[in-house]
Amino acid sequence: MSFNQYKDKIEEGDTVILFLGVDDTLTIRIKHGKTHQTRYGAVRHADLIGKQYGSRITCIGGKGWLHVLHPTPELWTITLPHRTQIIYSIDISMITLQLDLKPGSIVCESGTGSGSLSHAIIRSIAPTGHLYTYDYHQQRCDKAREEFTDHGIGDLVTVSCRDVCKDGFDVEHIADAVFLDLPVPWDAIKSAKQAFKLQGGKICSFSPCIEQVQRSCDQLRESGFVEVTTVECIARPYDVKTICLPPYNMGYIEGSTESSDDAPTDTKPKSSLKGFTAKCGILPKETAGHTGFLTFASLYTE
Ligand SMILES: C[S@@+](CC[C@H](N)C(=O)[O-])C[C@H]1O[C@@H](n2cnc3c(N)ncnc32)[C@H](O)[C@@H]1O
């Protein structure tokens, strides 16, 4: 199976997303003989083999049903096993756009972490691009490599165990884009510059704190990057509700030419106008907040 190529039917070894509802999804790897327990009952892997992706499956025990979905980078991001903090799809979409990722792009990334962003990058640059991803944590590198292979995208990515702040990236003049998700990104910026193609490219650094952003911006400018811009992506989901609005009182008493403002309150006649109902988009009182700042910059060397 491949995250990058859709197929119709579930096979042994596939990574399948079990969709039990919004905010209730999980990933399983299909292995004949295994059974998975969900809150709606059990699912036998053998029963899924040969089923169409997208099918509705009734769980054993009859407590409910779920859908079996083909994996995508977005679904992987919300179900993957967290080994680190990860980048989520709202930030990923901005990164993909601003770094101008497309089929054939060569990208350097550090750190690899849990591979959330890596999966999305690989989908954007396939089938002819390549991702070089670096992390100084050996187990995270091994696990990410294993997942990329299991997900059929292993040939599009090279995972290296390396401290990019101390030892730099081990590639020169090949990258169209560089992405940094590091605690001290400014220490990796000079060597990131070496990774870019001779004509330059785009860099992005993700940092949760504004102090990190300030140091990165200074280092980017010092290193010759231009168009340094920082953005923060915050989703504002609106609740759609039916509301009833009272009639607007224009200040007139029906059947009279006098203004109601002059009459004592208790003698004011009630308006016979009815309120009206309407569908409205209402902002939630609290918006799920800050993930981090995305600092983008460009390098033009020729
Ligand atoms: C927040 S995680 C990256 C998460 C990743 N962007 C994702 O979406 O899954 C940061 C990673 O950077 C790695 N790291 C920190 N400093 C590093 C360095 N100097 N060189 C290489 N990797 C580093 C950590 O081991 C960690 O796995």
Side-chain angles (χ1 to χ4, degrees), residues 56-280:
R56 193 169 114 159
I57 306 291
T58 302
C59 299
I60 302 164
K63 276 192 276 171
W65 42 264
L66 50 82
H67 284 92
V68 281
L69 304 183
H70 197 288
T72 63
E74 289 75 18
L75 289 171
W76 181 244
T77 287
I78 57 171
T79 55
L80 61 77
H82 281 221
R83 301 179 282 272
T84 60
Q85 287 285 339
I86 64 164
I87 308 252
Y88 289 93
S89 294
I90 293 168
D91 289 317
I92 290 174
S93 55
M94 180 62 91
I95 294 163
T96 307
L97 174 81
Q98 296 291 346
L99 290 185
D100 198 15
L101 302 186
K102 49 185 172 294
S105 297
I106 308 291
V107 183
C108 289
E109 175 201 31
S110 186
T112 313
S114 307
S116 167
L117 176 66
S118 316
H119 278 78
I121 293 177
I122 292 167
R123 196 240 334 251
S124 297
I125 64 177
T128 47
H130 201 83
L131 172 67
Y132 295 86
T133 184
Y134 301 82
D135 203 297
Y136 63 13
H137 193 287
Q138 184 67 57
Q139 280 108 316
R140 285 182 200 148
C141 289
D142 295 343
K143 192 68 195 148
R145 208 178 283 116
E146 186 188 314
E147 285 172 354
F148 296 140
T149 307
D150 288 348
H151 298 164
I153 50 177
D155 53 344
L156 291 163
V157 52
T158 304
V159 184
S160 305
C161 186
R162 194 172 171 90
D163 185 332
V164 295
C165 293
K166 261 179 37 207
D167 307 320
F169 291 84
D170 61 352
V171 289
E172 275 191 21
H173 306 314
I174 59 164
D176 297 289
V178 172
F179 179 82
L180 306 175
D181 182 1
L182 299 168
V184 282
W186 49 90
D187 280 347
I189 287 171
K190 273 196 196 133
S191 68
K193 197 175 164 182
Q194 293 299 312
F196 279 107
K197 284 183 175 159
L198 289 174
Q199 65 266 34
K202 308 256 186 197
I203 192 167
C204 175
S205 176
F206 175 93
S207 293
C209 306
I210 200 69
E211 292 80 6
Q212 291 168 305
V213 171
Q214 285 165 332
R215 285 194 70 171
S216 300
C217 289
D218 289 345
Q219 187 59 58
L220 283 165
R221 291 197 186 93
E222 253 174 57
S223 306
F225 288 84
V226 293
E227 297 162 355
V228 180
T229 313
T230 299
V231 297
E232 184 185 14
C233 302
I234 296 183
R236 299 214 301 172
Y238 283 75
D239 278 343
V240 177
K241 287 204 172 130
T242 304
I243 58 158
C244 181
L245 291 176
Y248 180 56
N249 186 333
M250 302 280 285
Y252 294 106
I253 300 169
E254 276 170 63
S256 161
T257 52
E258 283 178 34
S259 162
S260 63
D261 286 352
D262 301 334
T265 317
D266 54 350
T267 62
K268 283 181 192 172
K270 297 263 178 305
S271 169
S272 62
L273 287 173
K274 286 203 180 93
F276 69 95
T277 57
K279 285 247 184 262
C280 251

Side-chain angles (χ1 to χ4, degrees), residues 17-27 39-40 69 74-75 77-79 88 237 239 288:
I17 310 288
L18 302 185
F19 183 90
L20 291 97
V22 179
D23 297 333
D24 196 358
T25 47
L26 56 102
T27 306
R39 67 189 171 101
Y40 293 139
L69 304 183
E74 289 75 18
L75 289 171
T77 287
I78 57 171
T79 55
Y88 289 93
D239 278 343

